[in-house]
């Protein structure tokens, strides 16, 4: 038993060090994002606007389901007024079954770029 313990101990210690380091880096990143008052205010404003859209378009709980992490990247790339305008446009164009989480989807290669907003911008520019 001692041999097995001696054999696996370096693997366990290495995993623990790696896991602790990743959690530490994640916590530091979250603290930096939480400390930005402009970003916190923007996320709060967008979240409140989604609540207004819920009432206006009579959205159910599954359509409104989203997380603040999904909203977090939007104010970094777009101003709050543009986000609100595009969200309203999204629900006007997709009146049946549209979800906030669908509106918040980002491009895989560019996580700070919103799919709907970028597509709408391109379409408006082409028009």
């Amino acid at each position: 038993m001692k041999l097995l313990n001696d054999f696996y101990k370096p693997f366990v210690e290495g995993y623990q060090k790696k896991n602790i380091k990743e959690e530490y880096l994640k916590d530091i990143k979250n603290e930096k994002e939480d400390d930005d008052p402009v970003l916190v205010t923007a996320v709060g404003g967008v979240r409140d606007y989604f609540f207004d859209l819920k009432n206006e378009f009579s959205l159910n709980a599954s359509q409104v389901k989203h997380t603040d992490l999904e909203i977090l990247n939007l104010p970094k790339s777009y101003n709050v007024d543009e986000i609100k305008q595009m969200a309203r446009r999204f629900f006007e164009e997709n009146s049946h079954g549209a979800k906030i989480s669908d509106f918040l989807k980002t491009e895989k290669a560019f996580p700070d770029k919103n799919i709907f907003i970028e597509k709408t911008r391109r379409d408006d520019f082409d028009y």
Side-chain angles (χ1 to χ4, degrees), residues 80-114:
V80 175
D81 292 334
E82 183 178 21
I83 296 168
K84 290 178 179 180
Q85 177 187 8
M86 291 295 183
R88 172 172 297 288
R89 189 169 174 178
F90 177 79
F91 282 101
E92 288 172 350
E93 291 177 5
N94 305 300
S95 58
H96 297 297
K99 297 179 181 181
I100 290 176
S101 60
D102 291 341
F103 170 72
L104 295 173
K105 287 185 179 176
T106 58
E107 297 179 9
K108 296 247 188 264
F110 304 102
D112 58 333
K113 299 293 182 185
N114 180 279

PDB file of all heavy atoms in Angstrom, residues 80-114:
ATOM      1  N   VAL A  80     -24.766  50.713 -24.218  1.00  0.00           N
ATOM      2  CA  VAL A  80     -26.006  50.193 -23.639  1.00  0.00           C
ATOM      3  C   VAL A  80     -27.207  50.543 -24.512  1.00  0.00           C
ATOM      4  O   VAL A  80     -28.104  49.716 -24.688  1.00  0.00           O
ATOM      5  CB  VAL A  80     -26.185  50.706 -22.192  1.00  0.00           C
ATOM      6  CG1 VAL A  80     -27.523  50.275 -21.617  1.00  0.00           C
ATOM      7  CG2 VAL A  80     -25.057  50.215 -21.306  1.00  0.00           C
ATOM      8  N   ASP A  81     -27.235  51.737 -25.081  1.00  0.00           N
ATOM      9  CA  ASP A  81     -28.359  52.121 -25.935  1.00  0.00           C
ATOM     10  C   ASP A  81     -28.462  51.224 -27.161  1.00  0.00           C
ATOM     11  O   ASP A  81     -29.556  50.843 -27.574  1.00  0.00           O
ATOM     12  CB  ASP A  81     -28.230  53.583 -26.369  1.00  0.00           C
ATOM     13  CG  ASP A  81     -28.404  54.544 -25.202  1.00  0.00           C
ATOM     14  OD1 ASP A  81     -29.093  54.160 -24.224  1.00  0.00           O
ATOM     15  OD2 ASP A  81     -27.854  55.656 -25.253  1.00  0.00           O
ATOM     16  N   GLU A  82     -27.329  50.883 -27.757  1.00  0.00           N
ATOM     17  CA  GLU A  82     -27.336  50.001 -28.917  1.00  0.00           C
ATOM     18  C   GLU A  82     -27.804  48.597 -28.527  1.00  0.00           C
ATOM     19  O   GLU A  82     -28.557  47.965 -29.269  1.00  0.00           O
ATOM     20  CB  GLU A  82     -25.945  49.928 -29.551  1.00  0.00           C
ATOM     21  CG  GLU A  82     -25.912  49.080 -30.802  1.00  0.00           C
ATOM     22  CD  GLU A  82     -24.551  49.050 -31.466  1.00  0.00           C
ATOM     23  OE1 GLU A  82     -23.535  49.332 -30.806  1.00  0.00           O
ATOM     24  OE2 GLU A  82     -24.511  48.722 -32.674  1.00  0.00           O
ATOM     25  N   ILE A  83     -27.373  48.115 -27.367  1.00  0.00           N
ATOM     26  CA  ILE A  83     -27.805  46.795 -26.901  1.00  0.00           C
ATOM     27  C   ILE A  83     -29.318  46.777 -26.727  1.00  0.00           C
ATOM     28  O   ILE A  83     -30.001  45.843 -27.176  1.00  0.00           O
ATOM     29  CB  ILE A  83     -27.111  46.428 -25.576  1.00  0.00           C
ATOM     30  CG1 ILE A  83     -25.604  46.288 -25.778  1.00  0.00           C
ATOM     31  CG2 ILE A  83     -27.692  45.142 -24.998  1.00  0.00           C
ATOM     32  CD1 ILE A  83     -24.805  46.221 -24.492  1.00  0.00           C
ATOM     33  N   LYS A  84     -29.863  47.817 -26.113  1.00  0.00           N
ATOM     34  CA  LYS A  84     -31.308  47.890 -25.898  1.00  0.00           C
ATOM     35  C   LYS A  84     -32.060  47.948 -27.222  1.00  0.00           C
ATOM     36  O   LYS A  84     -33.062  47.261 -27.411  1.00  0.00           O
ATOM     37  CB  LYS A  84     -31.648  49.120 -25.051  1.00  0.00           C
ATOM     38  CG  LYS A  84     -31.199  49.004 -23.616  1.00  0.00           C
ATOM     39  CD  LYS A  84     -31.514  50.270 -22.850  1.00  0.00           C
ATOM     40  CE  LYS A  84     -31.101  50.178 -21.396  1.00  0.00           C
ATOM     41  NZ  LYS A  84     -31.420  51.404 -20.656  1.00  0.00           N
ATOM     42  N   GLN A  85     -31.566  48.763 -28.146  1.00  0.00           N
ATOM     43  CA  GLN A  85     -32.208  48.893 -29.455  1.00  0.00           C
ATOM     44  C   GLN A  85     -32.193  47.549 -30.192  1.00  0.00           C
ATOM     45  O   GLN A  85     -33.199  47.139 -30.770  1.00  0.00           O
ATOM     46  CB  GLN A  85     -31.482  49.955 -30.271  1.00  0.00           C
ATOM     47  CG  GLN A  85     -32.008  50.118 -31.670  1.00  0.00           C
ATOM     48  CD  GLN A  85     -31.143  51.063 -32.497  1.00  0.00           C
ATOM     49  OE1 GLN A  85     -30.072  51.486 -32.069  1.00  0.00           O
ATOM     50  NE2 GLN A  85     -31.602  51.378 -33.691  1.00  0.00           N
ATOM     51  N   MET A  86     -31.066  46.874 -30.170  1.00  0.00           N
ATOM     52  CA  MET A  86     -30.952  45.595 -30.868  1.00  0.00           C
ATOM     53  C   MET A  86     -31.784  44.505 -30.191  1.00  0.00           C
ATOM     54  O   MET A  86     -32.346  43.636 -30.864  1.00  0.00           O
ATOM     55  CB  MET A  86     -29.491  45.165 -30.961  1.00  0.00           C
ATOM     56  CG  MET A  86     -28.670  46.026 -31.880  1.00  0.00           C
ATOM     57  SD  MET A  86     -29.252  45.874 -33.582  1.00  0.00           S
ATOM     58  CE  MET A  86     -28.068  46.885 -34.415  1.00  0.00           C
ATOM     59  N   ALA A  87     -31.874  44.525 -28.869  1.00  0.00           N
ATOM     60  CA  ALA A  87     -32.698  43.541 -28.161  1.00  0.00           C
ATOM     61  C   ALA A  87     -34.163  43.716 -28.541  1.00  0.00           C
ATOM     62  O   ALA A  87     -34.867  42.731 -28.803  1.00  0.00           O
ATOM     63  CB  ALA A  87     -32.505  43.668 -26.654  1.00  0.00           C
ATOM     64  N   ARG A  88     -34.610  44.960 -28.580  1.00  0.00           N
ATOM     65  CA  ARG A  88     -35.999  45.218 -28.982  1.00  0.00           C
ATOM     66  C   ARG A  88     -36.222  44.734 -30.416  1.00  0.00           C
ATOM     67  O   ARG A  88     -37.209  44.074 -30.716  1.00  0.00           O
ATOM     68  CB  ARG A  88     -36.312  46.706 -28.884  1.00  0.00           C
ATOM     69  CG  ARG A  88     -37.674  47.079 -29.462  1.00  0.00           C
ATOM     70  CD  ARG A  88     -38.055  48.499 -29.195  1.00  0.00           C
ATOM     71  NE  ARG A  88     -38.189  48.777 -27.786  1.00  0.00           N
ATOM     72  CZ  ARG A  88     -39.190  48.335 -27.018  1.00  0.00           C
ATOM     73  NH1 ARG A  88     -40.130  47.591 -27.557  1.00  0.00           N
ATOM     74  NH2 ARG A  88     -39.257  48.637 -25.752  1.00  0.00           N
ATOM     75  N   ARG A  89     -35.300  45.042 -31.280  1.00  0.00           N
ATOM     76  CA  ARG A  89     -35.404  44.620 -32.683  1.00  0.00           C
ATOM     77  C   ARG A  89     -35.427  43.097 -32.796  1.00  0.00           C
ATOM     78  O   ARG A  89     -36.186  42.543 -33.588  1.00  0.00           O
ATOM     79  CB  ARG A  89     -34.225  45.200 -33.461  1.00  0.00           C
ATOM     80  CG  ARG A  89     -34.313  45.039 -34.940  1.00  0.00           C
ATOM     81  CD  ARG A  89     -33.251  45.883 -35.596  1.00  0.00           C
ATOM     82  NE  ARG A  89     -33.207  45.657 -37.015  1.00  0.00           N
ATOM     83  CZ  ARG A  89     -32.408  46.286 -37.846  1.00  0.00           C
ATOM     84  NH1 ARG A  89     -31.591  47.212 -37.390  1.00  0.00           N
ATOM     85  NH2 ARG A  89     -32.406  46.014 -39.122  1.00  0.00           N
ATOM     86  N   PHE A  90     -34.604  42.411 -31.988  1.00  0.00           N
ATOM     87  CA  PHE A  90     -34.564  40.944 -31.997  1.00  0.00           C
ATOM     88  C   PHE A  90     -35.930  40.374 -31.651  1.00  0.00           C
ATOM     89  O   PHE A  90     -36.413  39.455 -32.314  1.00  0.00           O
ATOM     90  CB  PHE A  90     -33.510  40.453 -30.997  1.00  0.00           C
ATOM     91  CG  PHE A  90     -33.437  38.961 -30.870  1.00  0.00           C
ATOM     92  CD1 PHE A  90     -32.772  38.204 -31.818  1.00  0.00           C
ATOM     93  CD2 PHE A  90     -34.024  38.308 -29.804  1.00  0.00           C
ATOM     94  CE1 PHE A  90     -32.693  36.827 -31.715  1.00  0.00           C
ATOM     95  CE2 PHE A  90     -33.957  36.935 -29.688  1.00  0.00           C
ATOM     96  CZ  PHE A  90     -33.288  36.187 -30.638  1.00  0.00           C
ATOM     97  N   PHE A  91     -36.568  40.904 -30.620  1.00  0.00           N
ATOM     98  CA  PHE A  91     -37.867  40.377 -30.210  1.00  0.00           C
ATOM     99  C   PHE A  91     -38.990  40.798 -31.147  1.00  0.00           C
ATOM    100  O   PHE A  91     -39.979  40.087 -31.278  1.00  0.00           O
ATOM    101  CB  PHE A  91     -38.177  40.761 -28.758  1.00  0.00           C
ATOM    102  CG  PHE A  91     -37.438  39.905 -27.780  1.00  0.00           C
ATOM    103  CD1 PHE A  91     -36.291  40.370 -27.160  1.00  0.00           C
ATOM    104  CD2 PHE A  91     -37.855  38.617 -27.516  1.00  0.00           C
ATOM    105  CE1 PHE A  91     -35.589  39.568 -26.281  1.00  0.00           C
ATOM    106  CE2 PHE A  91     -37.159  37.805 -26.640  1.00  0.00           C
ATOM    107  CZ  PHE A  91     -36.027  38.280 -26.025  1.00  0.00           C
ATOM    108  N   GLU A  92     -38.851  41.922 -31.809  1.00  0.00           N
ATOM    109  CA  GLU A  92     -39.851  42.308 -32.803  1.00  0.00           C
ATOM    110  C   GLU A  92     -39.767  41.406 -34.035  1.00  0.00           C
ATOM    111  O   GLU A  92     -40.785  41.022 -34.598  1.00  0.00           O
ATOM    112  CB  GLU A  92     -39.667  43.770 -33.204  1.00  0.00           C
ATOM    113  CG  GLU A  92     -40.090  44.743 -32.130  1.00  0.00           C
ATOM    114  CD  GLU A  92     -39.725  46.184 -32.441  1.00  0.00           C
ATOM    115  OE1 GLU A  92     -38.967  46.430 -33.416  1.00  0.00           O
ATOM    116  OE2 GLU A  92     -40.182  47.065 -31.695  1.00  0.00           O
ATOM    117  N   GLU A  93     -38.551  41.056 -34.453  1.00  0.00           N
ATOM    118  CA  GLU A  93     -38.366  40.199 -35.629  1.00  0.00           C
ATOM    119  C   GLU A  93     -38.653  38.736 -35.330  1.00  0.00           C
ATOM    120  O   GLU A  93     -39.055  37.986 -36.214  1.00  0.00           O
ATOM    121  CB  GLU A  93     -36.930  40.335 -36.148  1.00  0.00           C
ATOM    122  CG  GLU A  93     -36.629  41.680 -36.755  1.00  0.00           C
ATOM    123  CD  GLU A  93     -35.184  41.811 -37.195  1.00  0.00           C
ATOM    124  OE1 GLU A  93     -34.421  40.825 -37.130  1.00  0.00           O
ATOM    125  OE2 GLU A  93     -34.799  42.926 -37.594  1.00  0.00           O
ATOM    126  N   ASN A  94     -38.426  38.301 -34.104  1.00  0.00           N
ATOM    127  CA  ASN A  94     -38.606  36.897 -33.719  1.00  0.00           C
ATOM    128  C   ASN A  94     -39.655  36.811 -32.614  1.00  0.00           C
ATOM    129  O   ASN A  94     -39.373  36.386 -31.509  1.00  0.00           O
ATOM    130  CB  ASN A  94     -37.286  36.317 -33.201  1.00  0.00           C
ATOM    131  CG  ASN A  94     -36.171  36.477 -34.196  1.00  0.00           C
ATOM    132  OD1 ASN A  94     -36.249  35.980 -35.297  1.00  0.00           O
ATOM    133  ND2 ASN A  94     -35.143  37.204 -33.811  1.00  0.00           N
ATOM    134  N   SER A  95     -40.870  37.201 -32.923  1.00  0.00           N
ATOM    135  CA  SER A  95     -41.886  37.355 -31.891  1.00  0.00           C
ATOM    136  C   SER A  95     -42.291  36.037 -31.228  1.00  0.00           C
ATOM    137  O   SER A  95     -42.638  36.023 -30.058  1.00  0.00           O
ATOM    138  CB  SER A  95     -43.115  38.048 -32.469  1.00  0.00           C
ATOM    139  OG  SER A  95     -43.620  37.301 -33.548  1.00  0.00           O
ATOM    140  N   HIS A  96     -42.247  34.939 -31.947  1.00  0.00           N
ATOM    141  CA  HIS A  96     -42.696  33.672 -31.368  1.00  0.00           C
ATOM    142  C   HIS A  96     -41.505  32.801 -30.966  1.00  0.00           C
ATOM    143  O   HIS A  96     -40.709  32.400 -31.803  1.00  0.00           O
ATOM    144  CB  HIS A  96     -43.569  32.894 -32.360  1.00  0.00           C
ATOM    145  CG  HIS A  96     -44.828  33.629 -32.710  1.00  0.00           C
ATOM    146  ND1 HIS A  96     -45.799  33.933 -31.791  1.00  0.00           N
ATOM    147  CD2 HIS A  96     -45.248  34.166 -33.871  1.00  0.00           C
ATOM    148  CE1 HIS A  96     -46.773  34.577 -32.369  1.00  0.00           C
ATOM    149  NE2 HIS A  96     -46.453  34.754 -33.651  1.00  0.00           N
ATOM    150  N   GLY A  97     -41.394  32.537 -29.679  1.00  0.00           N
ATOM    151  CA  GLY A  97     -40.373  31.623 -29.182  1.00  0.00           C
ATOM    152  C   GLY A  97     -38.979  32.203 -29.057  1.00  0.00           C
ATOM    153  O   GLY A  97     -38.032  31.469 -28.803  1.00  0.00           O
ATOM    154  N   ALA A  98     -38.821  33.503 -29.243  1.00  0.00           N
ATOM    155  CA  ALA A  98     -37.497  34.112 -29.106  1.00  0.00           C
ATOM    156  C   ALA A  98     -37.068  34.080 -27.645  1.00  0.00           C
ATOM    157  O   ALA A  98     -37.878  34.250 -26.747  1.00  0.00           O
ATOM    158  CB  ALA A  98     -37.523  35.539 -29.615  1.00  0.00           C
ATOM    159  N   LYS A  99     -35.774  33.841 -27.424  1.00  0.00           N
ATOM    160  CA  LYS A  99     -35.234  33.758 -26.072  1.00  0.00           C
ATOM    161  C   LYS A  99     -34.125  34.784 -25.906  1.00  0.00           C
ATOM    162  O   LYS A  99     -33.393  35.073 -26.847  1.00  0.00           O
ATOM    163  CB  LYS A  99     -34.651  32.369 -25.800  1.00  0.00           C
ATOM    164  CG  LYS A  99     -35.666  31.254 -25.865  1.00  0.00           C
ATOM    165  CD  LYS A  99     -34.998  29.927 -25.601  1.00  0.00           C
ATOM    166  CE  LYS A  99     -35.989  28.795 -25.688  1.00  0.00           C
ATOM    167  NZ  LYS A  99     -35.351  27.500 -25.411  1.00  0.00           N
ATOM    168  N   ILE A 100     -33.990  35.287 -24.691  1.00  0.00           N
ATOM    169  CA  ILE A 100     -32.914  36.221 -24.395  1.00  0.00           C
ATOM    170  C   ILE A 100     -31.566  35.538 -24.597  1.00  0.00           C
ATOM    171  O   ILE A 100     -30.631  36.146 -25.112  1.00  0.00           O
ATOM    172  CB  ILE A 100     -33.061  36.791 -22.967  1.00  0.00           C
ATOM    173  CG1 ILE A 100     -34.274  37.719 -22.924  1.00  0.00           C
ATOM    174  CG2 ILE A 100     -31.806  37.518 -22.526  1.00  0.00           C
ATOM    175  CD1 ILE A 100     -34.600  38.288 -21.572  1.00  0.00           C
ATOM    176  N   SER A 101     -31.481  34.263 -24.233  1.00  0.00           N
ATOM    177  CA  SER A 101     -30.211  33.552 -24.410  1.00  0.00           C
ATOM    178  C   SER A 101     -29.840  33.436 -25.889  1.00  0.00           C
ATOM    179  O   SER A 101     -28.659  33.421 -26.229  1.00  0.00           O
ATOM    180  CB  SER A 101     -30.273  32.168 -23.760  1.00  0.00           C
ATOM    181  OG  SER A 101     -31.305  31.393 -24.331  1.00  0.00           O
ATOM    182  N   ASP A 102     -30.842  33.376 -26.778  1.00  0.00           N
ATOM    183  CA  ASP A 102     -30.548  33.365 -28.221  1.00  0.00           C
ATOM    184  C   ASP A 102     -29.994  34.716 -28.658  1.00  0.00           C
ATOM    185  O   ASP A 102     -29.095  34.781 -29.489  1.00  0.00           O
ATOM    186  CB  ASP A 102     -31.800  33.041 -29.031  1.00  0.00           C
ATOM    187  CG  ASP A 102     -32.259  31.606 -28.849  1.00  0.00           C
ATOM    188  OD1 ASP A 102     -31.439  30.761 -28.410  1.00  0.00           O
ATOM    189  OD2 ASP A 102     -33.441  31.326 -29.127  1.00  0.00           O
ATOM    190  N   PHE A 103     -30.549  35.787 -28.108  1.00  0.00           N
ATOM    191  CA  PHE A 103     -30.050  37.120 -28.428  1.00  0.00           C
ATOM    192  C   PHE A 103     -28.617  37.296 -27.937  1.00  0.00           C
ATOM    193  O   PHE A 103     -27.803  37.945 -28.585  1.00  0.00           O
ATOM    194  CB  PHE A 103     -30.943  38.200 -27.812  1.00  0.00           C
ATOM    195  CG  PHE A 103     -30.355  39.583 -27.899  1.00  0.00           C
ATOM    196  CD1 PHE A 103     -30.298  40.249 -29.108  1.00  0.00           C
ATOM    197  CD2 PHE A 103     -29.816  40.204 -26.778  1.00  0.00           C
ATOM    198  CE1 PHE A 103     -29.737  41.513 -29.196  1.00  0.00           C
ATOM    199  CE2 PHE A 103     -29.259  41.463 -26.850  1.00  0.00           C
ATOM    200  CZ  PHE A 103     -29.223  42.124 -28.062  1.00  0.00           C
ATOM    201  N   LEU A 104     -28.285  36.708 -26.803  1.00  0.00           N
ATOM    202  CA  LEU A 104     -26.970  36.892 -26.177  1.00  0.00           C
ATOM    203  C   LEU A 104     -25.870  36.012 -26.751  1.00  0.00           C
ATOM    204  O   LEU A 104     -24.725  36.111 -26.321  1.00  0.00           O
ATOM    205  CB  LEU A 104     -27.079  36.649 -24.667  1.00  0.00           C
ATOM    206  CG  LEU A 104     -27.938  37.648 -23.902  1.00  0.00           C
ATOM    207  CD1 LEU A 104     -28.106  37.198 -22.463  1.00  0.00           C
ATOM    208  CD2 LEU A 104     -27.347  39.038 -23.969  1.00  0.00           C
ATOM    209  N   LYS A 105     -26.174  35.177 -27.725  1.00  0.00           N
ATOM    210  CA  LYS A 105     -25.158  34.283 -28.289  1.00  0.00           C
ATOM    211  C   LYS A 105     -24.035  35.082 -28.941  1.00  0.00           C
ATOM    212  O   LYS A 105     -24.276  36.087 -29.605  1.00  0.00           O
ATOM    213  CB  LYS A 105     -25.774  33.326 -29.301  1.00  0.00           C
ATOM    214  CG  LYS A 105     -26.600  32.252 -28.656  1.00  0.00           C
ATOM    215  CD  LYS A 105     -27.089  31.256 -29.663  1.00  0.00           C
ATOM    216  CE  LYS A 105     -27.899  30.185 -28.944  1.00  0.00           C
ATOM    217  NZ  LYS A 105     -28.482  29.241 -29.867  1.00  0.00           N
ATOM    218  N   THR A 106     -22.817  34.577 -28.733  1.00  0.00           N
ATOM    219  CA  THR A 106     -21.644  35.238 -29.293  1.00  0.00           C
ATOM    220  C   THR A 106     -20.975  34.330 -30.312  1.00  0.00           C
ATOM    221  O   THR A 106     -21.214  33.131 -30.346  1.00  0.00           O
ATOM    222  CB  THR A 106     -20.633  35.588 -28.186  1.00  0.00           C
ATOM    223  OG1 THR A 106     -20.252  34.396 -27.513  1.00  0.00           O
ATOM    224  CG2 THR A 106     -21.234  36.572 -27.194  1.00  0.00           C
ATOM    225  N   GLU A 107     -20.109  34.932 -31.109  1.00  0.00           N
ATOM    226  CA  GLU A 107     -19.353  34.165 -32.086  1.00  0.00           C
ATOM    227  C   GLU A 107     -18.273  33.372 -31.365  1.00  0.00           C
ATOM    228  O   GLU A 107     -17.650  33.864 -30.425  1.00  0.00           O
ATOM    229  CB  GLU A 107     -18.735  35.109 -33.118  1.00  0.00           C
ATOM    230  CG  GLU A 107     -19.771  35.858 -33.926  1.00  0.00           C
ATOM    231  CD  GLU A 107     -19.168  36.808 -34.943  1.00  0.00           C
ATOM    232  OE1 GLU A 107     -17.939  36.754 -35.146  1.00  0.00           O
ATOM    233  OE2 GLU A 107     -19.918  37.592 -35.522  1.00  0.00           O
ATOM    234  N   LYS A 108     -18.052  32.145 -31.795  1.00  0.00           N
ATOM    235  CA  LYS A 108     -17.063  31.282 -31.135  1.00  0.00           C
ATOM    236  C   LYS A 108     -15.654  31.864 -31.229  1.00  0.00           C
ATOM    237  O   LYS A 108     -14.916  31.869 -30.261  1.00  0.00           O
ATOM    238  CB  LYS A 108     -17.090  29.892 -31.763  1.00  0.00           C
ATOM    239  CG  LYS A 108     -18.402  29.166 -31.577  1.00  0.00           C
ATOM    240  CD  LYS A 108     -18.217  27.979 -30.695  1.00  0.00           C
ATOM    241  CE  LYS A 108     -19.471  27.152 -30.657  1.00  0.00           C
ATOM    242  NZ  LYS A 108     -20.316  27.450 -29.539  1.00  0.00           N
ATOM    243  N   ALA A 109     -15.287  32.358 -32.378  1.00  0.00           N
ATOM    244  CA  ALA A 109     -13.935  32.888 -32.573  1.00  0.00           C
ATOM    245  C   ALA A 109     -13.741  34.236 -31.882  1.00  0.00           C
ATOM    246  O   ALA A 109     -12.628  34.582 -31.504  1.00  0.00           O
ATOM    247  CB  ALA A 109     -13.644  33.023 -34.060  1.00  0.00           C
ATOM    248  N   PHE A 110     -14.830  34.993 -31.728  1.00  0.00           N
ATOM    249  CA  PHE A 110     -14.758  36.314 -31.108  1.00  0.00           C
ATOM    250  C   PHE A 110     -15.830  36.409 -30.023  1.00  0.00           C
ATOM    251  O   PHE A 110     -16.940  36.887 -30.283  1.00  0.00           O
ATOM    252  CB  PHE A 110     -14.978  37.416 -32.154  1.00  0.00           C
ATOM    253  CG  PHE A 110     -14.026  37.344 -33.299  1.00  0.00           C
ATOM    254  CD1 PHE A 110     -14.415  36.813 -34.513  1.00  0.00           C
ATOM    255  CD2 PHE A 110     -12.727  37.798 -33.147  1.00  0.00           C
ATOM    256  CE1 PHE A 110     -13.531  36.742 -35.577  1.00  0.00           C
ATOM    257  CE2 PHE A 110     -11.839  37.735 -34.204  1.00  0.00           C
ATOM    258  CZ  PHE A 110     -12.233  37.197 -35.425  1.00  0.00           C
ATOM    259  N   PRO A 111     -15.520  35.986 -28.806  1.00  0.00           N
ATOM    260  CA  PRO A 111     -16.541  35.941 -27.757  1.00  0.00           C
ATOM    261  C   PRO A 111     -17.066  37.307 -27.322  1.00  0.00           C
ATOM    262  O   PRO A 111     -18.074  37.380 -26.644  1.00  0.00           O
ATOM    263  CB  PRO A 111     -15.835  35.235 -26.595  1.00  0.00           C
ATOM    264  CG  PRO A 111     -14.396  35.294 -26.884  1.00  0.00           C
ATOM    265  CD  PRO A 111     -14.245  35.461 -28.359  1.00  0.00           C
ATOM    266  N   ASP A 112     -16.429  38.381 -27.744  1.00  0.00           N
ATOM    267  CA  ASP A 112     -16.931  39.701 -27.397  1.00  0.00           C
ATOM    268  C   ASP A 112     -17.840  40.275 -28.490  1.00  0.00           C
ATOM    269  O   ASP A 112     -18.312  41.398 -28.379  1.00  0.00           O
ATOM    270  CB  ASP A 112     -15.782  40.668 -27.108  1.00  0.00           C
ATOM    271  CG  ASP A 112     -14.832  40.805 -28.276  1.00  0.00           C
ATOM    272  OD1 ASP A 112     -14.734  39.853 -29.075  1.00  0.00           O
ATOM    273  OD2 ASP A 112     -14.183  41.856 -28.388  1.00  0.00           O
ATOM    274  N   LYS A 113     -18.099  39.504 -29.545  1.00  0.00           N
ATOM    275  CA  LYS A 113     -18.966  39.941 -30.637  1.00  0.00           C
ATOM    276  C   LYS A 113     -20.289  39.169 -30.596  1.00  0.00           C
ATOM    277  O   LYS A 113     -20.309  37.948 -30.629  1.00  0.00           O
ATOM    278  CB  LYS A 113     -18.297  39.713 -32.002  1.00  0.00           C
ATOM    279  CG  LYS A 113     -17.004  40.473 -32.176  1.00  0.00           C
ATOM    280  CD  LYS A 113     -17.257  41.951 -32.217  1.00  0.00           C
ATOM    281  CE  LYS A 113     -15.960  42.701 -32.443  1.00  0.00           C
ATOM    282  NZ  LYS A 113     -16.130  44.131 -32.367  1.00  0.00           N
ATOM    283  N   ASN A 114     -21.377  39.903 -30.534  1.00  0.00           N
ATOM    284  CA  ASN A 114     -22.706  39.317 -30.497  1.00  0.00           C
ATOM    285  C   ASN A 114     -23.148  38.968 -31.913  1.00  0.00           C
ATOM    286  O   ASN A 114     -23.030  39.795 -32.830  1.00  0.00           O
ATOM    287  CB  ASN A 114     -23.676  40.317 -29.849  1.00  0.00           C
ATOM    288  CG  ASN A 114     -25.068  39.794 -29.772  1.00  0.00           C
ATOM    289  OD1 ASN A 114     -25.805  39.842 -30.744  1.00  0.00           O
ATOM    290  ND2 ASN A 114     -25.436  39.302 -28.603  1.00  0.00           N
TER     291      ASN A 114
END
